[in-house]
């Protein structure tokens, strides 16, 4: 038998890309490849790219420039570009970097093995279709190996919201949801292989509206209640949500579903109604804060995480202060914040831009405020007994690291046999980015 060919994958960007990379690796394993962590001995290199950050495409072009040397040492090496930069750039990638063999968009990666087969020896394939067929239905079985205790599961893709700063609706296309039975089968498969904590993924996950067992339209809340019935699955999370799609059933599930974790990533982007309108966000600062109140009524200890953009076109100091006030009101346990930067093709890119120095100063102030909130919430865990899902060993002998229900990393001395189980940990110390405790 021939030795398996080696596939090296580099993943950029969000959790959805992490999931997609896993699925692409599995597809290629069925086609006779095995994964390698060293690009030097690879027969195929796949870059799974992200388009959300500034100059994302340029960064991929320079990475491809670096890969040129690999290809001159090993002419049979195949190079593939997948993900959102592939979708956005298409055949342009080959025009600028002729040594690329395959360009595959996020909606057509189930065809990767077939594409790989016909590529090479100068034959190039670009597949950035939004095909009719069901991508997930066409992907083979998930990998058989035992898995880490936490896993991602994509349930929804694409977005119809068209926030004026964002490329996602252009690269990932319109919203679509996977059917409930497909998701349940995949979840069962993961649980049978040791997964205890599943994060349901979607660009706009709470807009989920998949086909249910009886053909009925099913909401994210209803899907969560179906997953709740799965023996062995202990924790359910979902990300990323839009405030306008937080319906009553989903809020109620946060109160009643014991497996649904008290952690919610709910981006607001700005606290100024004027800016929210220009961002095409379709909610106001007040409606967001009211929503947070209702979620906290259902689950008082829920940890709220957010996304913020500062220095959006026309943002005044008053607009920025409104964002700071919203943050003071909500008290975030976690947040991602960015200076606005233009994305070609999006409406906001055409508008007058703020000075970079002003953006940087505002970002600094906002991040300081959030860091203080984050740390005080983390500190408030000291003295509590928290259930922790133990995930892996650390560099320190005898120590494991795991996740609390609120997503804090927790270090604890415990035997390796406990990996994959939930243990009660008495928290004794709050560090920079983690907690330390001992088994109860
Ligand atoms: N500039 C800055 N931040 C952006 N994001 C998306 N597009 C832009 C942009 N043009 C941020 C938003 C989004 C997160 C994933 O990335 O906050 O929620
Ligand atoms: Fe982008 Fe999220 Fe707005 Fe959709 S809801 S356009 S993914 S920022």
């Amino acid at each position: 038998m021939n030795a398996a060919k080696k596939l090296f994958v580099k993943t950029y960007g969000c959790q959805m890309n992490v999931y997609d990379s896993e699925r692409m690796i599995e597809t290629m394993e069925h086609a006779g490849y095995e994964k390698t962590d060293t690009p030097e001995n690879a027969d195929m290199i796949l870059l799974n790219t992200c388009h959300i950050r500034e100059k994302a495409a340029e960064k991929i072009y320079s990475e491809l420039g670096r890969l040129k040397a690999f290809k001159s040492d090993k002419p049979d090496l195949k190079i593939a570009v997948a993900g959102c930069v592939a979708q956005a750039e298409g055949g342009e990638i080959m025009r600028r970097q002729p040594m690329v063999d395959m360009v595959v968009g996020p909606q057509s990666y189930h065809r990767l093995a077939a594409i790989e087969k016909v590529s090479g020896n100068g034959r190039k394939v670009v597949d950035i279709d939004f095909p009719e067929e069901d991508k997930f239905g066409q992907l083979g079985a998930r990998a058989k190996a035992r898995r880490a205790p936490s896993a991602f599961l994509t349930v929804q893709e694409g977005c119809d919201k068209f926030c004026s700063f964002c490329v996602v609706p252009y690269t990932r296309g319109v919203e679509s949801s996977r059917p409930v039975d497909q998701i349940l089968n995949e979840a069962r498969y993961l649980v049978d292989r040791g997964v205890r904590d599943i994060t349901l993924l979607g660009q706009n996950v709470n807009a989920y509206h998949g086909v249910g067992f009886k053909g009925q339209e099913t909401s994210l809340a209803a899907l969560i209640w179906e997953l709740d019935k799965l023996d062995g699955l202990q924790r359910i999370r979902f990300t990323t949500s839009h405030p306008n799609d937080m319906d009553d059933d989903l809020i109620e599930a946060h109160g009643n579903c014991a497996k649904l974790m008290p952690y919610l990533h709910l981006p607001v982007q700005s606290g100024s109604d004027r800016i929210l309108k220009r961002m095409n966000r379709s909610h106001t600062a007040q409606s967001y804060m009211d929503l947070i109140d209702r979620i906290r009524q259902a689950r008082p200890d829920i940890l709220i995480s957010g996304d913020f953009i500062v220095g959006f076109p026309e943002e005044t100091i008053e607009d920025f202060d409104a964002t700071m006030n919203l943050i003071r009101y909500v008290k975030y346990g976690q947040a991602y914040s960015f200076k606005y930067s233009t994305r070609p093709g999006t409406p906001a890119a055409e508008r007058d831009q703020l000075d970079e120095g002003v953006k940087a100063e505002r970002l600094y102030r906002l991040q300081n405020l959030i860091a203080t909130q984050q740390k005080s919430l983390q500190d408030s865990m000291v003295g509590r007994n928290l259930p922790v899902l133990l995930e892996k060993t650390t560099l320190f002998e005898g120590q494991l690291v795991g996740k609390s229900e609120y997503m804090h990393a927790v270090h604890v001395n415990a035997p390796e046999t406990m990996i994959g189980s939930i243990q009660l940990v008495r928290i004794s110390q709050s560090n920079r980015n983690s907690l330390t405790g001992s088994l109860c």
Side-chain angles (χ1 to χ4, degrees):
M1 213 177 105
N2 288 342
K5 286 189 274 183
K6 302 248 180 330
L7 169 66
F8 175 78
V9 177
K10 181 163 177 184
T11 307
Y12 301 78
C14 67
Q15 294 145 328
M16 300 207 48
N17 266 13
V18 174
Y19 175 87
D20 289 347
S21 288
E22 255 185 44
R23 302 297 316 248
M24 286 192 271
I25 291 165
E26 287 164 0
T27 299
M28 295 313 291
E29 280 170 356
H30 292 300
Y33 274 84
E34 71 183 20
K35 193 180 139 199
T36 173
D37 294 328
T38 42
E40 289 77 14
N41 66 8
D43 299 286
M44 172 169 166
I45 293 182
L46 173 82
L47 304 183
N48 190 13
T49 62
C50 166
H51 204 270
I52 203 128
R53 300 271 80 89
E54 196 178 11
K55 302 200 174 76
E58 289 313 311
K59 286 176 193 153
I60 296 302
Y61 283 121
S62 32
E63 177 75 22
L64 288 169
R66 283 191 288 276
L67 291 180
K68 249 186 191 156
F70 286 80
K71 188 110 170 177
S72 27
D73 292 348
K74 195 173 182 181
D76 288 342
L77 172 69
K78 291 189 178 180
I79 297 190
V81 181
C84 292
V85 172
Q87 190 65 40
E89 297 282 296
E92 178 65 14
I93 296 183
M94 274 126 176
R95 278 187 287 281
R96 286 186 55 178
Q97 289 291 357
M99 48 78 171
V100 172
D101 302 281
M102 294 162 259
V103 171
V104 190
Q107 291 311 328
S108 39
Y109 69 71
H110 54 296
R111 300 173 177 163
L112 184 62
I115 292 168
E116 186 271 339
K117 220 170 183 171
V118 296
S119 73
N121 285 330
R123 276 192 307 275
K124 305 193 175 294
V125 187
V126 177
D127 188 345
I128 51 171
D129 285 354
F130 285 90
E132 283 292 307
E133 77 253 18
D134 170 16
K135 172 176 75 188
F136 295 104
Q138 307 262 326
L139 286 164
R142 307 284 336 241
K144 292 207 170 42
R146 198 180 159 78
R147 305 177 135 265
S150 303
F152 295 131
L153 202 176
T154 293
V155 301
Q156 182 277 342
E157 288 189 296
C159 180
D160 293 344
K161 294 280 192 286
F162 288 93
C163 298
S164 63
F165 50 82
C166 183
V167 286
V168 166
Y170 309 95
T171 55
R172 289 273 175 164
V174 294
E175 267 176 26
S176 71
S177 299
R178 296 177 66 187
V180 173
D181 60 346
Q182 222 185 56
I183 295 167
L184 258 98
N185 281 340
E186 193 169 327
R188 213 170 282 125
Y189 203 90
L190 293 171
V191 170
D192 287 348
R193 274 143 197 86
V195 171
R196 298 289 165 257
D197 181 332
I198 292 184
T199 302
L200 307 175
L201 296 181
Q203 263 93 27
N204 194 0
V205 73
N206 57 345
Y208 176 84
H209 57 277
V211 179
F213 291 121
K214 297 185 186 123
Q216 79 284 24
E217 196 172 290
T218 305
S219 66
L220 184 66
L223 174 69
I224 288 168
W225 282 112
E226 285 297 332
L227 287 161
D228 181 65
K229 294 181 200 155
L230 264 189
D231 277 346
L233 178 61
Q234 292 173 292
R235 294 176 164 192
I236 304 168
R237 309 172 187 275
F238 59 90
T239 195
T240 293
S241 296
H242 190 285
N244 283 13
D245 293 312
M246 275 315 286
D247 63 24
D248 291 346
D249 291 348
L250 193 52
I251 296 174
E252 208 179 292
H254 271 293
N256 299 337
C257 179
K259 290 186 184 177
L260 187 58
M261 291 293 102
Y263 180 97
L264 179 64
H265 183 58
L266 196 60
V268 66
Q269 314 294 359
S270 167
S272 152
D273 289 347
R274 213 173 64 85
I275 296 299
L276 286 168
K277 203 163 194 161
R278 282 166 174 68
M279 287 176 163
N280 194 30
R281 284 292 291 180
S282 65
H283 59 79
T284 63
Q286 193 58 51
S287 70
Y288 179 88
M289 290 187 283
D290 290 346
L291 179 60
I292 296 289
D293 287 347
R294 285 168 55 218
I295 297 165
R296 286 205 167 122
Q297 265 156 27
R299 181 79 205 223
D301 63 334
I302 196 161
L303 186 146
I304 303 290
S305 154
D307 283 350
F308 298 90
I309 296 179
V310 302
F312 190 76
E314 294 178 45
E315 186 188 76
T316 61
I317 189 68
E318 288 78 23
D319 294 318
F320 175 70
D321 284 341
T323 303
M324 295 290 271
N325 284 336
L326 179 140
I327 295 171
R328 285 185 197 103
Y329 182 83
V330 174
K331 298 191 174 66
Y332 287 88
Q334 163 76 25
Y336 304 90
S337 48
F338 314 93
K339 287 190 285 186
Y340 172 74
S341 63
T342 54
R343 303 285 177 276
T346 57
E350 311 299 322
R351 303 179 191 160
D352 286 344
Q353 304 298 322
L354 258 62
D355 179 77
E356 277 306 308
V358 170
K359 291 188 202 174
E361 203 253 341
R362 290 183 190 170
L363 186 65
Y364 178 77
R365 284 179 53 199
L366 183 144
Q367 290 186 335
N368 271 344
L369 175 58
I370 286 180
T372 314
Q373 296 187 338
Q374 202 172 338
K375 186 70 167 70
S376 83
L377 228 146
Q378 192 187 282
D379 291 350
S380 73
M381 300 291 157
V382 174
R384 288 180 60 182
N385 295 340
L386 301 179
V388 174
L389 174 59
L390 297 171
E391 295 187 313
K392 54 184 181 212
T393 53
T394 73
L395 292 176
F396 298 99
E397 174 121 27
Q399 192 187 60
L400 299 182
V401 61
K403 286 267 155 56
S404 78
E405 296 190 328
Y406 309 102
M407 288 287 270
H408 289 122
V410 179
H411 295 273
V412 59
N413 283 338
E416 274 187 47
T417 49
M418 282 190 179
I419 291 178
S421 70
I422 294 180
Q423 302 292 335
L424 213 52
V425 176
R426 183 166 192 77
I427 306 298
S428 55
Q429 198 180 309
S430 172
N431 316 310
R432 241 168 85 96
N433 290 312
S434 66
L435 297 164
T436 307
S438 48
L439 291 174
C440 287

